[in-house]
Amino acid sequence: MSETFTSVSQEEAGFRDRERLSFDLDVDICIIGAGLAGLSVALEAARLGASIAVLEGRHIGWNASGHQLGTVMPGFALPLADLIERVGFEDARELWALSKQGAEFVRANATEANMPGLGLSDGVLEVSNVDVGDRLISRLQMLNEDFDTEVEGWQADRVREMLRTDRYFHGVHYPRAFQVDGRKYVHGLAALARRAGARIFEDTPVVSIDHSGVRKRIVTPSARLRASHIVLAGNIHLGAPLKRLSETLLPVWRYAGVTAPLGERLAEAIAFNGSVMDSDGVDHFRIVDGDRLMWASPETTWAVRPQRFAGAIKRRIRTIFPALGDVEIADAWGGATGQTVHGMPQIGQLRKGLWVASGFARQGMNTAAMAGQMIARSILWGDDRWRLFSPFELVWAGGVTGRVAGQLIGVWGRASSAAAGSLARYRERSRIKDREREARLKEANRAAGTGPRRPPPVRPRIVRPTPQPAPVPHADKIPDSVQ
Ligand SMILES: Cc1cc2nc3c(=O)[nH]c(=O)nc-3n(C[C@H](O)[C@H](O)[C@H](O)COP(=O)(O)OP(=O)(O)OC[C@H]3O[C@@H](n4cnc5c(N)ncnc54)[C@H](O)[C@@H]3O)c2cc1C
């Protein structure tokens, strides 16, 4: 059921150098899942000197982590305003600062020396589908001043100089956010973790765990492990080892594709080199390889072959950038993200020595890195900042009913944001038409020598105060004898 379909080239990449666990092992920390979350814990904990085994049921980056777009932003999938409402201003600031540290962890790993050919480039633009530029100023102030995040506000004109479409209005530019080749990053992370001493075993699904004792037991089809700590980083696929935990995540499949080379017409339509995402979380795209467009947008709560979504991606590109016309989708892929009911990731200790790092939804690059650093430091240094995530409990995501509801909410959300976008564009068109009509009228009047009659000057009405007796200072304090 929970199948992830990958492009052939990615399958091939994943099948190289696989080592399967076929002997019993004792380690300090056993990590279940070799996605961004599991590998980030492995790297940090190995650097801090712990003995690590990562057990991966398929291969490194098999699911979402090996099929993402590599955009690295501060923050969480939950919008900042909602985060503040949920935990208050001070805790929201601390959580935000942690999310920024996660992004810096990625930047520090993704150097040319560590991961050659990753193509790190700076700058991410978040664009709005509706015309709410007036709300921009307070948001920018809050991000810059209260959340210590460098951002610039772009008016609609500037956004449209960069992106030739009338779909987007104002934008928020994050000059320190960045992007890398997301699909290569997860393999780079695995290589760094191995270099730091972690052992990664692929084709090794964990079928059960016993987390009751001080030394915990982990069972795989061909070997057993003992460890002082277990980190559950299996996302929606965790399954048997702790089924109830997987049930707190709503699986959402996100699909992406890359076009065939588009030549110069792409540069004419898109002049911005970084990632672009819209504020409703529908479209996410950027130019790759000079003249190809990489684009993620459709989401479902059921797994489908990504190729079936190639048409939807193509239509979405044509809707946003009509000048690009009919583009050919050269490759399409997808992965399942895990969404929590409250929108924040699941990070923390479930019981002594049993940790969870999951639920990163569509923003896993920085948040999974943050979780990795935090959990490794909690285990090895006693850092207890993971408690900041305690208000976000493990809430059952509703099983099949939850998925159906999630699909309907997703469809409704996309439809209402599309409606809001159309309304904003309609208003903009009528404003332009009004201005044109006024200009034509003025010109006609000037030519005819008529012009609108000036209204008689309005004389300001002066309201004169009626004379009042002068107040007596401190009248209440004057002794009766004097009055
Ligand atoms: C198309 C797409 C584009 C995206 N773009 C971005 C982006 O630009 N920026 C961003 O920040 N985020 C992006 N994301 C989101 C990001 O990819 C995810 O949030 C992140 O990869 C989640 O990582 P993870 O390690 O929690 O999960 P996963 O990648 O799902 O890894 C979990 C691993 O655990 C293994 N596993 C599960 N159970 C077991 C078991 N019992 N035994 C052994 N192994 C097990 C699985 O096989 C899997 O490999 C995107 C996602 C998609 C799908």
Side-chain angles (χ1 to χ4, degrees):
M1 172 72 254
S2 46
E3 187 61 45
T4 295
F5 300 95
T6 65
S7 64
V8 175
S9 55
Q10 286 303 302
E11 274 313 351
E12 281 165 0
F15 274 99
R16 270 185 235 139
D17 298 320
R18 288 202 207 171
E19 189 188 350
R20 186 174 297 170
L21 183 67
S22 53
F23 48 88
D24 291 356
L25 201 61
D26 255 42
V27 289
D28 296 327
I29 306 174
C30 170
I31 298 161
I32 305 178
L36 288 173
L39 293 170
S40 301
V41 184
L43 174 58
E44 184 71 0
R47 280 175 175 162
L48 297 181
S51 61
I52 309 290
V54 181
L55 305 183
E56 165 55 50
R58 307 254 185 148
H59 58 83
I60 290 164
W62 162 73
N63 182 36
S65 301
H67 298 91
Q68 38 94 17
L69 266 52
T71 306
V72 189
M73 302 266 293
F76 300 89
L78 184 72
L80 181 54
D82 297 348
L83 181 62
I84 297 173
E85 197 175 307
R86 181 74 204 254
V87 296
F89 195 70
E90 284 312 318
D91 282 1
R93 265 163 53 111
E94 278 198 58
L95 285 165
W96 186 269
L98 286 171
S99 80
K100 280 174 57 188
Q101 280 174 26
E104 288 313 313
F105 178 82
V106 178
R107 188 186 277 278
N109 292 331
T111 59
E112 195 49 36
N114 280 340
M115 303 182 187
L118 209 64
L120 190 151
S121 66
D122 285 319
V124 173
L125 185 61
E126 187 189 283
V127 288
S128 175
N129 293 321
V130 288
D131 190 7
V132 285
D134 46 337
R135 278 192 237 146
L136 186 62
I137 311 275
S138 57
R139 171 128 188 267
L140 293 174
Q141 255 171 357
M142 185 166 78
L143 283 169
N144 270 319
E145 290 165 20
D146 302 319
F147 288 80
D148 197 22
T149 301
E150 208 179 314
V151 281
E152 295 164 358
W154 284 16
Q155 292 303 335
D157 294 351
R158 184 155 180 208
V159 168
R160 290 172 184 189
E161 258 171 44
M162 291 290 169
L163 309 172
R164 296 276 150 75
T165 173
D166 66 352
R167 290 265 152 175
Y168 301 139
F169 292 83
H170 71 269
V172 178
H173 181 225
Y174 293 76
R176 283 202 52 80
F178 58 98
Q179 45 269 310
V180 293
D181 182 326
R183 299 194 273 175
K184 276 190 190 159
Y185 177 75
V186 70
H187 291 278
L189 203 54
L192 282 187
R194 280 195 177 115
R195 214 181 291 162
R199 303 182 69 174
I200 304 173
F201 301 97
E202 297 172 270
D203 291 326
T204 306
V206 172
V207 291
S208 71
I209 58 174
D210 174 2
H211 48 75
S212 52
V214 177
R215 295 290 288 167
K216 305 185 184 312
R217 291 160 203 279
I218 301 101
V219 179
T220 74
S222 47
R224 284 163 190 267
L225 261 98
R226 288 187 346 139
S228 305
H229 296 267
I230 299 176
V231 181
L232 305 167
N235 193 4
I236 61 149
H237 298 103
L238 184 63
L242 213 66
K243 200 156 187 325
R244 277 170 51 211
L245 183 63
S246 338
E247 287 173 352
T248 59
L249 291 175
L250 176 71
V252 174
W253 278 262
R254 190 160 171 81
Y255 297 94
V258 66
T259 67
L262 297 175
E264 284 181 6
R265 66 186 160 140
L266 184 57
E268 281 158 21
I270 301 175
F272 186 72
N273 285 322
S275 301
V276 179
M277 41 185 81
D278 71 13
S279 48
D280 293 319
V282 178
D283 298 311
H284 177 181
F285 58 88
R286 75 166 184 276
I287 296 176
V288 292
D289 303 336
D291 66 349
R292 287 147 72 103
L293 189 53
M294 183 165 69
W295 192 290
S297 92
E299 281 182 345
T300 65
T301 52
W302 310 101
V304 187
R305 291 194 76 80
Q307 284 66 26
R308 278 191 49 194
F309 278 95
I313 295 170
K314 194 173 155 147
R315 283 194 294 281
R316 196 69 202 156
I317 294 176
R318 199 177 43 212
T319 306
I320 306 289
F321 293 106
L324 289 178
D326 242 350
V327 297
E328 183 198 333
I329 304 296
D331 192 11
W333 62 88
T337 63
Q339 293 192 4
T340 57
V341 170
H342 42 63
M344 284 292 277
Q346 302 168 331
I347 299 171
Q349 192 170 207
L350 299 176
R351 56 165 57 207
K352 204 162 169 30
L354 183 66
W355 300 81
V356 59
S358 261
F360 301 102
R362 65 175 59 172
Q363 199 169 332
M365 281 294 276
N366 69 318
T367 53
M370 171 201 71
Q373 259 193 323
M374 210 161 34
I375 289 176
R377 290 175 186 196
S378 305
I379 294 174
L380 298 157
W381 286 355
D383 179 347
D384 69 353
R385 282 175 304 166
W386 61 267
R387 290 185 194 281
L388 280 163
F389 288 85
S390 306
F392 305 103
E393 296 137 6
L394 302 175
V395 188
W396 184 58
V400 175
T401 326
R403 284 195 197 194
V404 173
Q407 182 73 26
L408 292 175
I409 291 167
V411 169
W412 180 80
R414 282 193 294 278
S416 58
S417 71
S422 314
L423 192 63
R425 289 192 300 282
Y426 168 77
R427 285 199 187 116
E428 186 183 46
R429 276 197 304 274
S430 17
R431 273 200 303 272
I432 294 170
K433 270 192 192 144
D434 282 352
R435 276 202 298 271
E436 284 170 358
R437 201 178 307 123
E438 261 170 43
R440 274 202 307 274
L441 197 65
K442 232 187 208 162
E443 183 50 33
N445 283 332
R446 198 192 56 78
T450 50
R453 232 195 258 157
R454 278 222 192 119
V458 179
R459 297 180 62 190
R461 202 172 139 241
I462 298 166
V463 181
R464 290 182 202 285
T466 39
Q468 298 282 328
V472 181
H474 306 295
D476 53 330
K477 295 197 186 108
I478 298 171
D480 291 345
S481 55
V482 179
Q483 283 185 339

